[in-house]
Amino acid sequence: GEFGRAKLLYKQLLSAEGHRNYPLREARCLRITPDLMLPLAPWLESWGRAVATHPSLSVEDRTAVVRQLLRGCDDTSKAWGVPNQVGYYRALYGMQSCGSLEGLTKYLDKDCRALLKTHTTRLHLGLSDISFATKLGRHAREL
């Protein structure tokens, strides 16, 4: 029935986003204003844009957020990585779409810069809002 279909959609498309955002807990700057409250993943593009442009955040704050987002994207890290999630990539895409991500790269450590250069990260950051929504919708219809 419909409940079974909803369960399948969640399990196949959204369950990886149901983590508790442990990687972002170290970015304490996100707690200073409700404007930066994390919305439901995987649709984090607007949130990434808000982080990139929020007047309360310094360059150091934005760098801390990028660092933690990249750590959450790192599938090789048992401590930080959130397997199969795409929301953090979408947040990075949002920051990139504002031109903020490139300017922060020089402040990142070598591991984070390496993560930005991986094939997986480049694929996710190359996917526009519309392309992402279309792809997700197509997967949902296929189920």
Side-chain angles (χ1 to χ4, degrees), residues 73-87:
C73 293
D74 185 3
D75 289 339
T76 64
S77 172
K78 298 273 187 218
W80 294 106
V82 181
N84 303 316
Q85 65 79 35
V86 294

Side-chain angles (χ1 to χ4, degrees), residues 23 67-75 80-83 85 88-89:
R67 182 182 311 110
Q68 295 309 115
L69 287 169
L70 285 168
R71 286 179 174 170
C73 293
D74 185 3
D75 289 339
W80 294 106
V82 181
Q85 65 79 35
Y88 286 3
Y89 288 113

Side-chain angles (χ1 to χ4, degrees), residues 42 44-45 86-94 124 127-129 132:
L44 300 181
E45 298 92 339
V86 294
Y88 286 3
Y89 288 113
R90 300 313 302 157
L92 290 166
Y93 171 83
H124 283 286
L127 199 60
S128 72
D129 296 13
F132 173 69

Side-chain angles (χ1 to χ4, degrees), residues 31-60:
R31 302 177 195 162
I32 60 175
T33 176
D35 299 344
L36 299 174
M37 184 179 276
L38 196 67
L40 290 174
W43 300 276
L44 300 181
E45 298 92 339
S46 295
W47 180 81
R49 289 182 193 100
V51 169
T53 60
H54 201 280
S56 298
L57 296 179
S58 66
V59 170
E60 292 81 16

Side-chain angles (χ1 to χ4, degrees), residues 9-122:
L9 282 170
Y10 178 80
K11 185 176 181 181
Q12 295 293 319
L13 300 178
L14 301 174
S15 64
E17 306 300 333
H19 57 85
R20 296 184 181 185
N21 295 298
Y22 288 124
L24 290 177
R25 289 186 179 189
E26 284 198 14
R28 288 182 171 80
C29 60
L30 296 174
R31 302 177 195 162
I32 60 175
T33 176
D35 299 344
L36 299 174
M37 184 179 276
L38 196 67
L40 290 174
W43 300 276
L44 300 181
E45 298 92 339
S46 295
W47 180 81
R49 289 182 193 100
V51 169
T53 60
H54 201 280
S56 298
L57 296 179
S58 66
V59 170
E60 292 81 16
D61 293 334
R62 287 184 179 88
T63 303
V65 173
V66 170
R67 182 182 311 110
Q68 295 309 115
L69 287 169
L70 285 168
R71 286 179 174 170
C73 293
D74 185 3
D75 289 339
T76 64
S77 172
K78 298 273 187 218
W80 294 106
V82 181
N84 303 316
Q85 65 79 35
V86 294
Y88 286 3
Y89 288 113
R90 300 313 302 157
L92 290 166
Y93 171 83
M95 294 182 82
Q96 174 186 268
S97 71
C98 292
S100 176
L101 190 58
E102 294 77 18
L104 297 173
T105 304
K106 62 185 169 191
Y107 301 108
L108 295 170
D109 59 49
K110 66 178 177 115
D111 293 335
C112 288
R113 286 193 306 268
L115 283 169
L116 273 173
K117 295 177 183 176
T118 65
H119 178 70
T120 301
T121 301
R122 286 185 290 124

